[in-house]
Amino acid sequence: MTSFIKKIEKISQVATWCSGLLLFLAAIMIAFEVIMRKAFAYSIGGADELSSYALAISCTWGFSYTLLRKSHIRIDILYSRLPRAGRSFLDIGAHLLLGIYIVTLSYYAFFVVKTSIIKHSAANTPLATPLWIPQGIWFTGLLWFGFTIFIVLAGTIYHRLNNEHDEANRLSGISTLDDEIKETADLGNKTGADT
Amino acid sequence: MIITVTLLILLVLLVLSVPVAAVLIVLGLSIGEIFSDFPLYRVMGEITWSASTDFLLLSIPLFVMLGEILLRAGIAKRTYSALNKWLSWLPGGLLQANVGTSALFAATSGSSVATAATITTVALPQGRRYNYSEKLFAGSIAAGGTLGILIPPSINLIIYGFLTNTSIPRLFLAGIAPGIVLAILFMLCIAGACLINPKLSGDKQSTTWQERFDGLKDLLPVFVIFFVVIGSIYAGLATPTESAALGVLASLGLAFYYKSVSISFFKQVFEGTMRTSSMIMLILVSANFLNFILDSIGLAEMLNSFVMNLGTSPLNTLLVVIALYVVLGFFIETLSLMVITVPIVAPILVNLGYDAIWFGILLILLIEMALITPPVGLNLYVVQGVRRSGSISDVMIGAAPFVFMIAIMIVLMIIFPEIALYFTQFVS
């Protein structure tokens, strides 16, 4: 189970790097477009359209690593006051509802892609991008997110049934601010310039 | 009836620690099912796709990336040491540098957690070395970190603009003056406290003018970024998203200049950017769908007539709203607080004659206050987390004077709305 989740985490991490790279390239493209437009009155065109797709695609492909690193916001007023056994019930409920949301969204997102394919929809722009391409990649990212939620949910239930509360919590609990600070503080130490 | 049901579903799900994005959607779907005759859920795909490709929202991950690059290029540490040379003669010395660095650095960075954590890491050893009172020292960092969401570029202002359909350039412009005034209030507060009780301050450091001028080159990066991002918007060269892209390019240049760039640098930048922006985007597309449902069932009109029927004066309504935010701010994480309340509260106040831009800035001040008030003030915990000694209540006590300053700022904003609005008349 654990090694399987490790694999999913690795794939999600690579997907996150690619998503970040995509946004980075979008930023560079937009920046050059602005500079060219203002300095040389020359427009490459399409930078804003392509980068909008980059946003949609990078989001859905970034969701699952964000989930595995527990960065999707949950309120812990009640949670932090419960014993570990009680927490995993809330974890299961939380991931179940998130899962239902993403399955529902994927279902209707599928119709968006399907309609674009059937109608040969193209963007109403000079590029006339066939919409099913960006929509398809966006949709696959959603599916991967849904799959990740399912695995996290199954893993939590599995650990819960075996009374392995620590493992369950590590998989799906709310991240403590301590973990988060440790990461950033290390970073501040590591990358600060010498004074 | 609708309002009661909405609030009930909302509270139960939030308390059960369901991810905020899922709460918004479950809320939207159930309200749609109960109160509308149309199958509103069927357009979920289209609505989400169109929000996900909104060019304006692209500015959010780009501003996050800009901050990540600067953070990992070690700009914060350089800025701090340079500002310290310039501000150390003031009463409160390093404390002034804390506020100044936070204000400058947070102005270019997307994450308040990262900013506060970095500055605490950099500043705290200095504070201990020169025997500063640790309470006020920690409090000044926690409070200074909140300035970043008021001084542009601010991701919170972009989110407010997206949710209320107000102009981002005008919101940014409106944030500058209150941001500077608040930073000055913080600095006056420190100076006053240190003059009354010199023990709060630490040992004097002597700095020569030569050292000060040498430090200037370390202040340059932050000003360059600010000038590129904000300047390009107001010179009419770029939209907010384009200015964010220019900022990313400029910060990359700085990272190359400081020789921080490597493969692992990019991996860290991308990972940090995606973790923050995926989290924000999932909440935003969900909030966007909830807004669509609330619009369709006409909740805004219902609330408006409800408020009109109460017959309270606009000022009293505003005071109730402020009280509501102060109380909710004690308990709810700030981004969630914004996306849940803004679509409902902002239209009511605008309907009563308040300016939407002005309310945006007022809201940010309230959010800043929420960030440093216990029990859920995020910045307090960040600073305490890096300190790793003493008690969290030290930080809370140290931040208290700054909460008071923000309260004064809020009162000033109500009496003189021009503080925010004066400059906005210059952009269309």
Side-chain angles (χ1 to χ4, degrees), chain B residues 271-307:
Chain B
E271 209 175 298
T273 305
M274 288 315 297
R275 270 175 69 184
T276 307
S277 57
S278 294
M279 177 274 284
I280 298 177
M281 283 300 292
L282 186 60
I283 290 182
L284 271 189
V285 294
S286 311
N288 183 59
F289 184 69
L290 174 61
N291 275 357
F292 163 77
I293 301 266
L294 294 182
D295 269 355
S296 311
I297 62 165
L299 184 77
E301 287 82 14
M302 272 182 254
L303 279 173
N304 274 335
S305 60
F306 175 74
V307 173

Short mmCIF file of all heavy atoms in Angstrom, two decimals, chain B residues 271-307:
data_model
loop_
_atom_site.label_atom_id
_atom_site.label_comp_id
_atom_site.label_asym_id
_atom_site.label_seq_id
_atom_site.Cartn_x
_atom_site.Cartn_y
_atom_site.Cartn_z
N GLU B 271 7.42 23.77 -7.45
CA GLU B 271 6.64 23.04 -6.45
C GLU B 271 5.96 24.02 -5.49
O GLU B 271 4.76 23.88 -5.22
CB GLU B 271 7.58 22.11 -5.68
CG GLU B 271 6.89 20.89 -5.16
CD GLU B 271 7.89 19.93 -4.51
OE1 GLU B 271 8.80 19.45 -5.21
OE2 GLU B 271 7.75 19.69 -3.30
N GLY B 272 6.72 25.00 -5.01
CA GLY B 272 6.15 25.98 -4.10
C GLY B 272 5.01 26.75 -4.75
O GLY B 272 3.96 26.96 -4.16
N THR B 273 5.23 27.16 -6.01
CA THR B 273 4.21 27.91 -6.73
C THR B 273 2.94 27.09 -6.88
O THR B 273 1.84 27.56 -6.61
CB THR B 273 4.72 28.28 -8.14
OG1 THR B 273 5.94 28.98 -8.02
CG2 THR B 273 3.70 29.14 -8.87
N MET B 274 3.11 25.83 -7.32
CA MET B 274 1.92 25.02 -7.59
C MET B 274 1.15 24.69 -6.32
O MET B 274 -0.06 24.64 -6.33
CB MET B 274 2.31 23.72 -8.32
CG MET B 274 2.74 23.92 -9.75
SD MET B 274 1.68 25.04 -10.69
CE MET B 274 0.14 24.14 -10.64
N ARG B 275 1.88 24.45 -5.22
CA ARG B 275 1.15 24.10 -3.99
C ARG B 275 0.27 25.24 -3.54
O ARG B 275 -0.87 25.05 -3.15
CB ARG B 275 2.13 23.72 -2.88
CG ARG B 275 2.44 22.25 -2.90
CD ARG B 275 3.48 21.92 -1.89
NE ARG B 275 2.97 22.05 -0.52
CZ ARG B 275 3.74 21.87 0.55
NH1 ARG B 275 5.00 21.60 0.41
NH2 ARG B 275 3.22 21.98 1.75
N THR B 276 0.78 26.46 -3.62
CA THR B 276 -0.03 27.61 -3.22
C THR B 276 -1.12 27.89 -4.23
O THR B 276 -2.28 28.06 -3.89
CB THR B 276 0.85 28.86 -3.04
OG1 THR B 276 1.91 28.53 -2.16
CG2 THR B 276 0.05 30.01 -2.49
N SER B 277 -0.74 27.91 -5.53
CA SER B 277 -1.74 28.37 -6.49
C SER B 277 -2.80 27.31 -6.79
O SER B 277 -3.95 27.66 -7.03
CB SER B 277 -1.08 28.90 -7.77
OG SER B 277 -0.28 27.93 -8.34
N SER B 278 -2.47 26.01 -6.73
CA SER B 278 -3.51 24.99 -6.90
C SER B 278 -4.54 25.11 -5.78
O SER B 278 -5.74 24.99 -6.00
CB SER B 278 -2.94 23.57 -6.81
OG SER B 278 -2.10 23.31 -7.86
N MET B 279 -4.03 25.33 -4.57
CA MET B 279 -4.93 25.46 -3.43
C MET B 279 -5.88 26.64 -3.65
O MET B 279 -7.09 26.51 -3.50
CB MET B 279 -4.06 25.64 -2.18
CG MET B 279 -4.77 25.86 -0.89
SD MET B 279 -5.16 27.58 -0.60
CE MET B 279 -3.58 28.25 -0.12
N ILE B 280 -5.30 27.80 -4.05
CA ILE B 280 -6.13 28.98 -4.26
C ILE B 280 -7.11 28.74 -5.41
O ILE B 280 -8.30 29.06 -5.31
CB ILE B 280 -5.27 30.22 -4.56
CG1 ILE B 280 -4.37 30.54 -3.38
CG2 ILE B 280 -6.14 31.42 -4.90
CD1 ILE B 280 -3.42 31.70 -3.61
N MET B 281 -6.61 28.16 -6.52
CA MET B 281 -7.46 28.00 -7.70
C MET B 281 -8.62 27.04 -7.46
O MET B 281 -9.73 27.27 -7.93
CB MET B 281 -6.63 27.52 -8.90
CG MET B 281 -5.80 28.60 -9.55
SD MET B 281 -6.76 29.98 -10.20
CE MET B 281 -7.62 29.16 -11.55
N LEU B 282 -8.39 25.94 -6.72
CA LEU B 282 -9.49 25.01 -6.45
C LEU B 282 -10.59 25.73 -5.66
O LEU B 282 -11.77 25.60 -5.95
CB LEU B 282 -8.99 23.78 -5.68
CG LEU B 282 -10.04 22.68 -5.48
CD1 LEU B 282 -10.54 22.15 -6.82
CD2 LEU B 282 -9.50 21.52 -4.65
N ILE B 283 -10.16 26.52 -4.68
CA ILE B 283 -11.16 27.27 -3.91
C ILE B 283 -11.86 28.31 -4.78
O ILE B 283 -13.08 28.47 -4.72
CB ILE B 283 -10.48 27.95 -2.69
CG1 ILE B 283 -10.08 26.88 -1.68
CG2 ILE B 283 -11.41 28.97 -2.05
CD1 ILE B 283 -9.46 27.41 -0.42
N LEU B 284 -11.09 28.98 -5.65
CA LEU B 284 -11.70 30.04 -6.47
C LEU B 284 -12.68 29.50 -7.50
O LEU B 284 -13.76 30.06 -7.68
CB LEU B 284 -10.61 30.84 -7.19
CG LEU B 284 -10.05 32.03 -6.42
CD1 LEU B 284 -9.16 32.84 -7.33
CD2 LEU B 284 -11.16 32.90 -5.87
N VAL B 285 -12.34 28.39 -8.20
CA VAL B 285 -13.30 27.89 -9.19
C VAL B 285 -14.55 27.36 -8.48
O VAL B 285 -15.66 27.46 -9.01
CB VAL B 285 -12.70 26.81 -10.14
CG1 VAL B 285 -11.62 27.39 -11.02
CG2 VAL B 285 -12.21 25.59 -9.40
N SER B 286 -14.36 26.83 -7.26
CA SER B 286 -15.53 26.36 -6.52
C SER B 286 -16.38 27.54 -6.07
O SER B 286 -17.61 27.50 -6.19
CB SER B 286 -15.08 25.55 -5.29
OG SER B 286 -14.13 24.59 -5.65
N ALA B 287 -15.73 28.58 -5.57
CA ALA B 287 -16.46 29.77 -5.15
C ALA B 287 -17.20 30.39 -6.33
O ALA B 287 -18.32 30.88 -6.20
CB ALA B 287 -15.51 30.79 -4.53
N ASN B 288 -16.55 30.33 -7.49
CA ASN B 288 -17.15 30.88 -8.69
C ASN B 288 -18.45 30.15 -9.05
O ASN B 288 -19.45 30.76 -9.41
CB ASN B 288 -16.14 30.75 -9.84
CG ASN B 288 -16.65 31.36 -11.12
OD1 ASN B 288 -16.96 32.54 -11.16
ND2 ASN B 288 -16.75 30.55 -12.16
N PHE B 289 -18.44 28.83 -8.89
CA PHE B 289 -19.65 28.06 -9.18
C PHE B 289 -20.74 28.35 -8.14
O PHE B 289 -21.91 28.53 -8.48
CB PHE B 289 -19.34 26.56 -9.21
CG PHE B 289 -20.52 25.72 -9.60
CD1 PHE B 289 -21.02 25.77 -10.90
CD2 PHE B 289 -21.14 24.91 -8.67
CE1 PHE B 289 -22.13 25.00 -11.25
CE2 PHE B 289 -22.26 24.15 -9.02
CZ PHE B 289 -22.74 24.20 -10.31
N LEU B 290 -20.35 28.45 -6.88
CA LEU B 290 -21.32 28.80 -5.83
C LEU B 290 -21.96 30.16 -6.14
O LEU B 290 -23.17 30.33 -6.02
CB LEU B 290 -20.63 28.82 -4.46
CG LEU B 290 -21.48 29.30 -3.29
CD1 LEU B 290 -22.68 28.40 -3.07
CD2 LEU B 290 -20.66 29.38 -2.00
N ASN B 291 -21.12 31.12 -6.56
CA ASN B 291 -21.64 32.44 -6.92
C ASN B 291 -22.68 32.36 -8.01
O ASN B 291 -23.70 33.05 -7.98
CB ASN B 291 -20.52 33.34 -7.44
CG ASN B 291 -19.80 34.00 -6.32
OD1 ASN B 291 -20.18 33.84 -5.17
ND2 ASN B 291 -18.76 34.73 -6.65
N PHE B 292 -22.40 31.51 -9.00
CA PHE B 292 -23.33 31.33 -10.11
C PHE B 292 -24.68 30.83 -9.59
O PHE B 292 -25.73 31.34 -9.97
CB PHE B 292 -22.73 30.36 -11.13
CG PHE B 292 -23.71 29.78 -12.08
CD1 PHE B 292 -24.19 30.52 -13.16
CD2 PHE B 292 -24.19 28.48 -11.90
CE1 PHE B 292 -25.11 29.98 -14.03
CE2 PHE B 292 -25.11 27.95 -12.78
CZ PHE B 292 -25.58 28.69 -13.85
N ILE B 293 -24.65 29.85 -8.69
CA ILE B 293 -25.88 29.32 -8.12
C ILE B 293 -26.61 30.40 -7.32
O ILE B 293 -27.82 30.61 -7.47
CB ILE B 293 -25.58 28.12 -7.18
CG1 ILE B 293 -24.85 27.02 -7.93
CG2 ILE B 293 -26.85 27.63 -6.50
CD1 ILE B 293 -25.71 25.94 -8.49
N LEU B 294 -25.85 31.11 -6.48
CA LEU B 294 -26.47 32.15 -5.64
C LEU B 294 -27.10 33.24 -6.51
O LEU B 294 -28.18 33.74 -6.20
CB LEU B 294 -25.43 32.76 -4.69
CG LEU B 294 -24.86 31.81 -3.62
CD1 LEU B 294 -23.89 32.55 -2.72
CD2 LEU B 294 -25.97 31.17 -2.79
N ASP B 295 -26.42 33.59 -7.60
CA ASP B 295 -26.98 34.56 -8.55
C ASP B 295 -28.28 34.05 -9.14
O ASP B 295 -29.27 34.77 -9.25
CB ASP B 295 -25.99 34.80 -9.71
CG ASP B 295 -25.07 35.95 -9.40
OD1 ASP B 295 -25.28 36.59 -8.36
OD2 ASP B 295 -24.15 36.20 -10.19
N SER B 296 -28.26 32.76 -9.55
CA SER B 296 -29.43 32.19 -10.23
C SER B 296 -30.65 32.17 -9.33
O SER B 296 -31.76 32.35 -9.80
CB SER B 296 -29.14 30.76 -10.70
OG SER B 296 -27.93 30.72 -11.39
N ILE B 297 -30.47 31.90 -8.05
CA ILE B 297 -31.64 31.86 -7.19
C ILE B 297 -31.95 33.25 -6.61
O ILE B 297 -32.90 33.41 -5.86
CB ILE B 297 -31.48 30.85 -6.02
CG1 ILE B 297 -30.33 31.25 -5.11
CG2 ILE B 297 -31.28 29.44 -6.54
CD1 ILE B 297 -30.36 30.53 -3.80
N GLY B 298 -31.14 34.24 -6.98
CA GLY B 298 -31.43 35.62 -6.56
C GLY B 298 -31.19 35.89 -5.09
O GLY B 298 -31.92 36.64 -4.46
N LEU B 299 -30.15 35.27 -4.53
CA LEU B 299 -29.88 35.47 -3.10
C LEU B 299 -29.53 36.93 -2.80
O LEU B 299 -29.95 37.49 -1.80
CB LEU B 299 -28.75 34.56 -2.63
CG LEU B 299 -28.47 34.63 -1.13
CD1 LEU B 299 -29.52 33.85 -0.35
CD2 LEU B 299 -27.09 34.14 -0.78
N ALA B 300 -28.75 37.55 -3.72
CA ALA B 300 -28.31 38.92 -3.47
C ALA B 300 -29.50 39.86 -3.30
O ALA B 300 -29.54 40.67 -2.37
CB ALA B 300 -27.40 39.39 -4.59
N GLU B 301 -30.51 39.70 -4.20
CA GLU B 301 -31.70 40.57 -4.10
C GLU B 301 -32.42 40.34 -2.78
O GLU B 301 -32.86 41.28 -2.13
CB GLU B 301 -32.68 40.30 -5.26
CG GLU B 301 -32.22 40.82 -6.61
CD GLU B 301 -31.25 39.88 -7.29
OE1 GLU B 301 -31.14 38.71 -6.85
OE2 GLU B 301 -30.59 40.30 -8.25
N MET B 302 -32.52 39.04 -2.41
CA MET B 302 -33.21 38.73 -1.15
C MET B 302 -32.51 39.40 0.02
O MET B 302 -33.15 40.01 0.87
CB MET B 302 -33.19 37.21 -0.93
CG MET B 302 -34.35 36.50 -1.57
SD MET B 302 -34.24 34.75 -1.19
CE MET B 302 -33.72 34.12 -2.76
N LEU B 303 -31.16 39.28 0.04
CA LEU B 303 -30.41 39.88 1.13
C LEU B 303 -30.56 41.39 1.14
O LEU B 303 -30.75 42.01 2.18
CB LEU B 303 -28.93 39.52 1.02
CG LEU B 303 -28.55 38.15 1.54
CD1 LEU B 303 -27.10 37.85 1.22
CD2 LEU B 303 -28.77 38.08 3.05
N ASN B 304 -30.52 41.97 -0.09
CA ASN B 304 -30.65 43.42 -0.18
C ASN B 304 -31.97 43.89 0.39
O ASN B 304 -32.01 44.85 1.17
CB ASN B 304 -30.52 43.87 -1.64
CG ASN B 304 -29.07 44.06 -2.01
OD1 ASN B 304 -28.23 44.30 -1.13
ND2 ASN B 304 -28.76 43.93 -3.29
N SER B 305 -33.07 43.21 0.01
CA SER B 305 -34.36 43.68 0.51
C SER B 305 -34.46 43.41 2.00
O SER B 305 -35.05 44.18 2.75
CB SER B 305 -35.51 43.01 -0.25
OG SER B 305 -35.45 41.62 -0.11
N PHE B 306 -33.82 42.32 2.43
CA PHE B 306 -33.80 42.02 3.87
C PHE B 306 -33.11 43.15 4.64
O PHE B 306 -33.64 43.67 5.63
CB PHE B 306 -33.07 40.69 4.09
CG PHE B 306 -32.88 40.31 5.53
CD1 PHE B 306 -33.95 39.86 6.29
CD2 PHE B 306 -31.63 40.39 6.13
CE1 PHE B 306 -33.77 39.49 7.62
CE2 PHE B 306 -31.45 40.04 7.46
CZ PHE B 306 -32.52 39.59 8.21
N VAL B 307 -31.96 43.57 4.13
CA VAL B 307 -31.20 44.64 4.79
C VAL B 307 -31.97 45.96 4.74
O VAL B 307 -32.05 46.70 5.72
CB VAL B 307 -29.81 44.79 4.15
CG1 VAL B 307 -29.09 46.01 4.72
CG2 VAL B 307 -28.99 43.55 4.41
#
